[in-house]
Every structure is written in C-alpha cells, then in structure tokens.
Amino acid sequence: MPEVRPERVQEVFWGLVERYSPSGKEQEALTYLEEVCAAHGCPYGVQPVDEDRYNLVLGRPDAPLVFVGHVDTVDAWDLEDFGPAEVGGGWVRGLGAADMKGGCAALLEAYLVLREAGLGREVGLALVVGEEEEGDGAAAFLREARPGRVVIAEPTGLQLCTGHYGYVEAVLSARGRRAHASVPELGRNAAEAVLTVLHGLLQEPSLAAKDGPVLSIRHLETSNPGFAVPARAAAWVDLHVPPAYRVERVIGVVDRVVASAGGDAVTVNYPCRHEGFSLDDDDPTIRAYRSAGGRDFGVFRSHSDGNLFHAAGVPAALLGPGSLDYAHTEEERVELAEVIEAAWVFVRLARSFPGV
C-alpha cells in the first residue's frame, strides 16, 4: 500500500494558504490545485458553477464514498498578512489554515495515495467553491451527482462528527422617521426598535439554554451615518440549531419575540434555513471509521455544505484537522502534524468503506 508523503502534504497545504481565495474569488487556489494534479499525473474534471467559477472533481462523483473540501475562505482580516506563518509548536497560522485548506491538502494527499493503490475510481473527491457564502459549489455538484456517502473535511479535531447543527439566518428590519439628532423625540429611531428586539432575543430563555440553539448577532447597520435619528436599521442574526431541535421551532420563538418586543416597527425574514441531522448508528461511514480504528465522535456546531448534502438525501459526516475555535479569526491556525494525520485517517477510512 502506498504511504502518505508528509512533505507533499506540507507543500500543498502551504501553497493553498499562500493563495488568497475568498468566496467568489477562488481561481488562484483552483489553478494551483490543477497544477498539483498535473504534476502527479492525476486526472480531474472541471465542473462549472457560474460563468467564472468551477469545482474540481477527482475520481467518481457518484462513488459509494466521496470526500468533499471547500477551497474558499472568508475575507482576509489583513491583505498584507493573511498568508502562512509558523508560530511555534508545530502550528501554522494563516487565513483558511483550519477552515479548510488543511483539510483540502489532506484530502488531496489521501486521494493521490488511494489512486496509487488502484482505488482512484472507487472513491471521489470534490473540491468545491462558495461554501462560506451560498454553498453554490456544493449545489452545482449535487445537480450532477449523488454519491452514496460524503465525508466533509471541516475542522473537527479529527473527530467524526455524525451529528450536525441546523442553521437559521434571521434578518431584522425596522423603519422609523428621520429627525435631527438633537431632537430625537421628533423622530422614530429605527435602531432603537431593532435593539429592543435583539435584547429580547438575548433574554429569551429557550435561546440561552445549555445545549440549546446558539444565537449570534453578526451585523448591525443603519441607513444614515449623519447627525440624525436613523429612519432605517437592520440586524443579521445567526442561529445554530442542535440536531434534536426543529428549525421551525426556533423560528417560532424568534417570531414571538419580534412581535412582542418590536410591535409593528420591526419585521423579520429568513433568507437561509437548514435542518440539522444525525447519522444512524449503523451508517456505513460510522462502521468504516470504527473499522479504521476511529473512536472519537462529535457533533458539528456550525453550518456547512453538509446541510445541503443532507437536504439532497446524501448522508454526510464531517471529519478534518483543525478547530472551529480558531476558524474565521485573526489567529486562525492548525497543527501541521494534524493535517498529515488527517491524510492517513482519510486513507484508512476509504480502505475500510464498504464497496471500496
């Protein structure tokens, strides 16, 4: 059996983090991955997503097991300082290091090893775009393929996450009446109306319970920065919903708080909603993970392309190097040794998977 090559994992990982690839601008990272594949004589397919963007697909997209990684990141916190840097103790810092260029490097290495072992057509690998925004890369993949199972290399600390939170995006909007800031009583402050609802949501017991939905206020804005009472205001709220909860139950709570705290001044809409899920205990992915020596299981607390695969009827599990504790932060980092170990884990999982 061919073996994982740590130096190749490190080179690909470093090369990916060096290339800036926020959602919508993934071209540089994709070109680099194509160069790596070509250098190792590994064929791949290009799957259009929109006019200028595409996924890379290796192996069989409808295989019993397909690995999935997203090459996009959130926007850089500093365009002069987003690239890879060793920060001691075997850690590498950089935009996307944990979410999820470490996972993509490990996936590609695992696929190259499996291909060298003659299993290149028994599994698949989809390196997709757009996960941090609309999930349009995964949606494009699902329009053309239905694999048996997917394993997505999100940062889980190499735990197999067999449960996955649901997700609701709530957008609160308010209209008021503009007035000079020195005489606010002559206007109606839209910002105050939105803040009143946000305070109600933060105080709502069912949204603050341990092991319950996770509420995060992501963005606030008003219509005018001038010296005036704002006539419009909006807030974006993320709600991550444990698998045991129905998304509609959480939406009902938000609707109730908006009605009671906001009256007729605040409206709410939900541009994005995904149900959570849990795999059955006898799912082939779980059996293969155990057969490969895996013992650590968890629940993924964020949303991901896994929600889209689940909604399309494709059972999904998450497994990858890194941690959400560092993802999307200025100190995003991952241990290089864990990225290399992830490649081994992916190889062992595939070798143990039924039908591979």
Side-chain angles (χ1 to χ4, degrees):
M1 177 71 185
E3 295 192 345
V4 167
R5 291 165 50 181
E7 71 284 354
R8 185 166 63 187
V9 181
Q10 181 173 358
E11 179 182 356
V12 173
F13 169 53
W14 199 270
L16 281 173
V17 181
E18 281 184 320
R19 288 158 172 83
Y20 186 48
S21 59
S23 292
K25 300 177 181 179
E26 300 95 344
Q27 181 62 59
E28 197 172 343
L30 291 167
T31 299
Y32 173 67
L33 289 168
E34 291 181 81
E35 292 170 352
V36 172
C37 290
H40 291 89
C42 180
Y44 59 89
V46 172
Q47 181 183 58
V49 173
D50 56 33
E51 184 176 351
D52 301 313
R53 299 163 63 237
Y54 55 91
N55 301 325
L56 296 180
V57 181
L58 291 73
R60 279 178 53 202
D62 61 347
L65 173 64
V66 171
F67 293 106
V68 178
H70 68 81
V71 302
D72 62 311
T73 69
V74 295
D75 291 336
W77 54 84
D78 183 349
L79 285 172
E80 301 299 321
D81 184 31
F82 68 84
E86 296 181 3
V87 291
W91 290 80
V92 176
R93 171 185 174 271
L95 178 64
D99 187 15
M100 56 183 293
K101 292 186 174 181
C104 287
L107 287 177
L108 182 55
E109 176 65 21
Y111 182 81
L112 292 174
V113 171
L114 291 166
R115 183 173 180 274
E116 291 169 14
L119 298 174
R121 293 294 299 167
E122 306 305 316
V123 297
L125 170 59
L127 297 170
V128 303
V129 299
E131 189 272 348
E132 297 292 359
E133 292 291 342
E134 303 297 330
D136 50 353
F141 179 84
L142 284 164
R143 284 195 292 270
E144 298 185 12
R146 284 294 188 276
R149 297 288 188 280
V150 294
V151 171
I152 305 173
E154 290 285 355
T156 71
L158 294 185
Q159 283 189 328
L160 183 72
C161 286
T162 60
H164 194 303
Y165 273 45
Y167 173 67
V168 177
E169 180 185 43
V171 181
L172 307 173
S173 303
R175 283 180 175 269
R177 184 173 64 242
R178 186 180 173 110
H180 193 280
S182 68
V183 284
E185 67 275 11
L186 299 181
R188 289 197 308 272
N189 194 313
E192 291 180 3
V194 168
L195 289 171
T196 298
V197 172
L198 291 176
H199 179 74
L201 290 173
L202 291 171
Q203 298 300 311
E204 168 60 37
S206 64
L207 299 179
K210 183 180 179 181
D211 300 324
V214 179
L215 182 149
S216 175
I217 300 169
R218 173 161 44 92
H219 183 69
L220 297 168
E221 68 180 32
T222 61
S223 58
N224 54 282
F227 198 69
V229 168
R232 297 183 183 180
W236 282 257
V237 177
D238 294 326
L239 294 133
H240 291 94
V241 184
Y245 283 69
R246 297 290 296 175
V247 160
E248 287 301 324
R249 173 182 171 188
V250 176
I251 289 174
V253 171
V254 175
D255 285 342
R256 174 172 54 78
V257 172
V258 170
S260 63
D264 59 1
V266 180
T267 61
V268 59
N269 66 83
Y270 303 96
C272 184
R273 62 180 82 183
H274 296 292
E275 291 290 347
F277 60 89
S278 295
L279 295 181
D280 295 333
D281 290 341
D282 63 347
D283 188 89
T285 303
I286 296 176
R287 296 203 309 269
Y289 179 71
R290 288 192 171 120
S291 296
R295 295 291 180 268
D296 295 328
F297 294 88
V299 176
F300 195 64
R301 185 168 168 165
S302 183
H303 63 298
S304 78
D305 283 339
N307 297 108
L308 298 180
F309 281 96
H310 170 73
V314 179
L318 291 87
L319 172 68
S323 169
L324 288 175
D325 291 353
Y326 293 112
H328 296 192
T329 73
E330 295 181 5
E331 296 302 320
E332 184 168 0
R333 63 185 66 194
V334 69
E335 289 185 279
L336 180 58
E338 192 172 82
V339 176
I340 295 168
E341 176 60 22
W344 276 114
V345 171
F346 295 141
V347 170
R348 293 195 295 266
L349 177 64
R351 296 279 290 180
S352 301
F353 201 87
V356 175

